[in-house]
Amino acid sequence: MKKLINDPADYVDEMLDGMVAAHPDEIRRIDTTKVLVRREIPEGKVAVVSGGGSGHEPTHAGYLGPGMLDGAAAGEVFTSPTANEVQEMIDACDAGAGVLLVIKNYEGDVMNFETAGEMAEMGDVEVAQVVVNDDVAVEDSTYTSGRRGVCGTIFVHKVAGAMADRGGDLEAVERAAQRVIDNVGTMGAALTSCVTPEKGSPTFDLGEDEIEIGIGIHGEPGVERTGMMSADEIADRLATAVLDDVEPEGEVATIVNGMGGTPLSELYIVNRRLQELLGERGLETWDAWVGDYMTSLDMRGCSITILDLDDELKELLAHEADTPALTVRD
Amino acid sequence: MKKLINDPADYVDEMLDGMVAAHPDEIRRIDTTKVLVRREIPEGKVAVVSGGGSGHEPTHAGYLGPGMLDGAAAGEVFTSPTANEVQEMIDACDAGAGVLLVIKNYEGDVMNFETAGEMAEMGDVEVAQVVVNDDVAVEDSTYTSGRRGVCGTIFVHKVAGAMADRGGDLEAVERAAQRVIDNVGTMGAALTSCVTPEKGSPTFDLGEDEIEIGIGIHGEPGVERTGMMSADEIADRLATAVLDDVEPEGEVATIVNGMGGTPLSELYIVNRRLQELLGERGLETWDAWVGDYMTSLDMRGCSITILDLDDELKELLAHEADTPALTVRD
C-alpha cells in the first residue's frame, strides 16, 4: 500500500513536526519528546491534556488550543506514550490550578497516564483523570479491559476544555468530562483494514465484499463480519446499537466520523440517514459533526457517536474553541 | 471498491441532503435542484457563488457561510451543473448588489456558468465572473482549454467572500478574486486513482509502485508517471513546479490538500517538507492550511498550493469566516 511517507521509522516524528510547522505560533513540541503543547496556557486555568498512540489524527494534537486541550502526548503508531513523556507534558501544562488527564481506555494508556499522574503529584501538581470508554461494540478487547475509548473522546475534550476555559476548578472540569463519558456512545464499521507504516500491509484481512461491524480504531475485532451493506443499513446498525446503550430522550449531539480513508461525501450520506433515524425516534439533533475526528490511519469506514445532552453540556459544547481541527465561534 | 453509499444514482442527492442535515439552520437546498445556498444573505451584500461537478467535497458547498460563499451549485459526479440550475442559484443569492461567479476552468463549467450569467443579467441581476486556472501542471487537458482550476479556488472563495462581507462592491469583489488567481499556483500527485460510484472501478490504472505527478482532480493525465517517491521528494517536485510558476518573493499562504483518501498524518508529513523548502528559498509562510479542501472522491494523493501574498490579501484571508469546512475567527 502506497503512502505519503519517508522512512516509516520517522512517521510520527515528521507528522508532529508538520503539525507544528502548520501552527508555529500556537503549538510547540517539547524537546526530545513526542509531546505537543500550547505555547501559552493562561495562568490559573486548569490544564486539560490527553494523548495516546499515533495513527488517529487529528487526535489528539489537532485539538490543542483555547477551549480544548493544552497538551497532547503522542506515542508511536498504535502505541502508548511513555509515562515519562506524559509526566513532562503534565509539568509543562500545569498553570497552577491542576491538570485533568483524559485517557482513552487502553491498558497501556491507562497504566502510563496513571503512573505519570502519580509522579506529577509527587512534584506537587494536582492531578485528576477520567477514562473514556464509549465504544458500545464489545466488552474487553485486544488492548482493553472493559469498553474501548474511541471518538466520544472528542466530546470529552470539547466539554472539559470549555469548563476549564470558563474558570472551572479541577473538580468541576473532571465532573464535566465524566458527565460526557456517562452519556456518550460510539460504534464503528470498517470497509477496509488500516495499514501501518512499518508493516505496509493490511492489519487484518477483509474480503472485497466484506465489512466488519463494531471495529476498533486499531483494527481490533468487532461484533460481526458480514457481506457489504448499504450506507443506510450501516448507519441503522451502528446508530441503533449506540441508542440502545445511551438511551437519550431529548436532544443529542452526533458525530459521523471518518476512519481516515473515507471521502467526506460518503460521511454525509451516512449523516443523512443518521439524522433521519434520530427524527424517527423522536430525538432532536442539537449539533451534528461530520468529518475525520478519530481515525485509524488509512482505514475506510466510519463510526457514529451520540451524546445525550443537558443544558450544561450544550453550553459547554457551544463555548468558543480555536484549534487546528475544530473551531467554534462565539 | 467498497463505498459507504446506497444506490450510486442517489450519491449526489443523498450527499447534499446529508450536508443540509448537518447544518439545517445555515444551509438550504433549492427545491428540485442540486443547489445549496445560505439561508440568510445580508441585503445589499455582493453574493459570491461557485459550483461544479460533485466528487470534490467539501468543495463547494462546504464553504457556504458568512465570509465565503453564498451559493454552491453541484452537478453529478465530475459533471457540470446545468445552466438553468446555476441561474436559479444566481437569482436566489442576489441581494441587490450583484453576484460574482467563481468558475473553475473546465469547458462545461465555463459554458454553463456563462450562459447562466447571461440569463440572469437579462433578469436584471448584475453578474461578474472569474475563471480559476491555478493548476501549473499542464496547458489544456481532458476537459479544459488552458490550465485547470483546482485547489487554489478555495483561496479565491475566501478572499472574494471576505471582500463581499466587508461591503466591497461587485467590481472590488471581482478584482480581489482575480488578484488571487493572478498569484496562485497548484500541482498535485496521485498514489491511486479515484473510483466513481457509478463505475465502481478505478478511472485510470496505476501500478502498485507507480504514482502520477501533475494529476487532475478528475483523474486527468499529469506530466509524468513514475516509480514510488518519498513524501519529501513528492513535496519538492510539486512545490518547485508551483514556485517556478508563481515566483513569490516575500510571504506566502500554502495548502497541503488531501485528495479524499489520504490520512491527515501523511499530509502533515508533506507539510513538514514544504515549509522546510520554503524556508530554504527565503520565503515566509504567513498561513499554512493542511487538510481535505478540494478532493477527487477517494483518490490517495495530495496537491500543494502556494499563494503569493500582499497586505490586502492577508487582510482578506484573516477576515472572519464561518462555514462547515473552514472557520476563521476574528
Side-chain angles (χ1 to χ4, degrees):
Chain A
M1 179 61 79
K2 290 173 280 189
K3 290 177 182 291
L4 285 167
I5 59 175
N6 298 301
D7 186 336
D10 298 329
Y11 184 82
V12 175
D13 262 337
E14 294 186 343
M15 181 261 292
L16 294 173
D17 286 343
M19 294 190 77
V20 173
H23 307 281
D25 296 334
E26 293 81 26
I27 295 172
R28 71 181 174 90
R29 182 168 175 178
I30 299 180
D31 282 348
T32 74
T33 73
K34 293 185 175 63
V35 175
L36 302 191
V37 297
R38 285 175 65 188
R39 283 199 175 273
E40 293 179 16
I41 302 172
E43 198 57 35
K45 187 187 86 71
V46 170
V48 181
V49 303
S50 191
S54 293
H56 309 301
E57 294 69 28
T59 293
H60 292 276
Y63 303 105
L64 287 171
M68 287 189 83
L69 295 184
D70 299 291
E76 289 296 338
V77 171
F78 297 171
T79 304
S80 174
T82 65
N84 281 335
E85 295 207 356
V86 175
Q87 188 201 352
E88 280 203 64
M89 169 174 70
I90 294 170
D91 289 343
C93 292
D94 180 44
V99 181
L100 177 71
L101 317 183
V102 179
I103 311 168
K104 298 198 301 301
N105 190 34
Y106 298 99
E107 283 158 8
D109 287 339
V110 172
M111 186 177 71
N112 290 335
F113 275 76
E114 280 186 349
T115 302
E118 286 162 11
M119 292 191 297
E121 280 180 323
M122 287 191 286
D124 275 341
V125 177
E126 200 183 357
V127 176
Q129 66 174 55
V130 293
V131 177
V132 189
N133 61 347
D134 57 312
D135 190 335
V136 306
V138 294
E139 282 290 328
D140 302 337
S141 188
T142 316
Y143 313 107
T144 313
S145 300
R147 304 199 319 194
R148 302 176 296 223
V150 290
C151 190
T153 309
I154 312 308
F155 279 146
V156 179
H157 293 349
K158 178 71 191 71
V159 163
M163 179 60 91
D165 199 52
R166 292 165 70 136
D169 64 15
L170 184 58
E171 191 192 328
V173 175
E174 179 188 1
R175 200 179 56 234
Q178 189 62 48
R179 189 189 288 241
V180 175
I181 295 168
D182 293 342
N183 290 285
V184 71
T186 299
M187 194 151 122
L191 307 191
T192 64
S193 170
C194 50
V195 173
T196 61
E198 289 281 2
K199 187 163 176 236
S201 59
T203 302
F204 59 95
D205 291 319
L206 205 51
E208 187 48 45
D209 288 316
E210 278 184 326
I211 63 173
E212 180 140 346
I213 303 288
I215 195 79
I217 56 172
H218 312 92
E220 306 99 310
V223 290
E224 186 185 355
R225 187 162 294 196
T226 176
M228 190 59 203
M229 294 161 68
S230 72
D232 284 3
E233 289 167 339
I234 292 170
D236 282 354
R237 179 71 188 275
L238 300 181
T240 301
V242 175
L243 288 171
D244 287 350
D245 185 88
V246 177
E247 298 185 332
E249 294 190 344
E251 290 178 294
V252 297
T254 60
I255 306 177
V256 175
N257 170 60
M259 290 298 198
T262 315
L264 187 56
S265 48
E266 299 180 22
L267 300 180
Y268 277 120
I269 290 173
V270 172
N271 185 60
R272 175 196 151 279
R273 175 56 195 153
L274 171 63
Q275 301 308 329
E276 189 176 65
L277 180 145
L278 294 174
E280 290 165 6
R281 295 286 193 103
L283 296 164
E284 190 176 336
T285 299
W286 178 80
D287 202 7
W289 299 2
V290 180
D292 279 9
Y293 293 94
M294 173 75 73
T295 60
S296 179
L297 292 168
D298 52 0
M299 184 186 283
R300 295 176 77 131
C302 69
S303 64
I304 287 177
T305 298
I306 299 173
L307 171 63
D308 188 11
L309 292 174
D310 57 32
D311 287 344
E312 185 185 32
L313 288 176
K314 279 161 55 177
E315 262 182 49
L316 294 167
L317 282 176
H319 184 81
E320 63 181 331
D322 194 2
T323 77
L326 184 77
T327 306
V328 177
R329 293 173 77 234
D330 287 326
Chain B
M1 179 61 79
K2 291 173 278 188
K3 291 177 181 290
L4 286 167
I5 59 174
N6 299 299
D7 185 336
D10 297 329
Y11 183 83
V12 175
D13 262 337
E14 293 184 345
M15 180 262 290
L16 294 174
D17 287 342
M19 294 191 77
V20 174
H23 308 280
D25 296 333
E26 293 82 25
I27 294 173
R28 69 181 174 89
R29 181 167 175 179
I30 299 180
D31 282 348
T32 74
T33 73
K34 292 185 175 63
V35 176
L36 302 191
V37 296
R38 285 174 66 189
R39 282 198 175 274
E40 293 179 18
I41 301 172
E43 199 56 35
K45 187 186 86 71
V46 171
V48 180
V49 303
S50 190
S54 292
H56 309 300
E57 293 70 28
T59 293
H60 292 275
Y63 304 105
L64 286 171
M68 287 189 83
L69 296 184
D70 299 292
E76 289 296 337
V77 171
F78 296 170
T79 304
S80 173
T82 65
N84 281 335
E85 295 206 357
V86 174
Q87 188 202 349
E88 280 202 64
M89 169 173 69
I90 295 170
D91 289 343
C93 292
D94 180 45
V99 181
L100 177 71
L101 316 183
V102 179
I103 312 168
K104 298 198 302 300
N105 190 33
Y106 299 99
E107 283 158 9
D109 288 340
V110 172
M111 185 177 71
N112 290 335
F113 275 76
E114 280 186 350
T115 302
E118 286 163 12
M119 293 192 296
E121 281 180 324
M122 286 192 284
D124 275 341
V125 177
E126 201 183 356
V127 176
Q129 66 175 55
V130 294
V131 177
V132 189
N133 61 347
D134 57 313
D135 190 334
V136 306
V138 293
E139 282 291 326
D140 302 337
S141 187
T142 316
Y143 314 107
T144 314
S145 300
R147 304 197 322 191
R148 301 176 297 222
V150 290
C151 190
T153 308
I154 313 309
F155 280 146
V156 179
H157 293 348
K158 178 70 192 73
V159 164
M163 179 60 90
D165 199 52
R166 292 165 68 137
D169 64 14
L170 184 57
E171 192 191 327
V173 175
E174 180 187 0
R175 199 178 57 236
Q178 190 62 47
R179 189 189 289 241
V180 175
I181 295 169
D182 294 341
N183 289 285
V184 71
T186 299
M187 194 151 121
L191 307 191
T192 64
S193 170
C194 50
V195 173
T196 60
E198 288 282 2
K199 186 162 177 239
S201 59
T203 302
F204 58 95
D205 292 319
L206 206 52
E208 187 47 47
D209 288 315
E210 278 184 324
I211 63 173
E212 180 140 346
I213 302 288
I215 195 78
I217 56 173
H218 312 92
E220 306 98 309
V223 290
E224 186 186 354
R225 187 162 293 197
T226 176
M228 191 58 204
M229 295 162 66
S230 72
D232 284 3
E233 288 167 338
I234 292 171
D236 282 353
R237 179 72 189 274
L238 300 180
T240 301
V242 175
L243 289 171
D244 287 349
D245 184 89
V246 176
E247 298 186 331
E249 295 190 344
E251 290 179 293
V252 296
T254 60
I255 306 177
V256 174
N257 170 61
M259 291 298 199
T262 316
L264 187 56
S265 49
E266 299 180 24
L267 300 180
Y268 278 119
I269 290 172
V270 172
N271 184 60
R272 175 196 152 279
R273 175 57 196 153
L274 171 63
Q275 302 307 329
E276 190 176 65
L277 179 144
L278 294 174
E280 290 165 6
R281 296 286 193 102
L283 296 164
E284 189 176 336
T285 298
W286 178 80
D287 202 7
W289 299 4
V290 179
D292 279 9
Y293 294 93
M294 174 74 74
T295 61
S296 180
L297 292 167
D298 51 0
M299 184 186 282
R300 294 176 78 130
C302 69
S303 64
I304 287 178
T305 298
I306 300 173
L307 172 62
D308 188 12
L309 292 174
D310 58 32
D311 287 343
E312 186 185 30
L313 288 177
K314 279 160 57 177
E315 263 183 48
L316 293 168
L317 283 176
H319 184 81
E320 64 181 331
D322 193 2
T323 78
L326 184 77
T327 306
V328 176
R329 291 173 77 233
D330 286 326

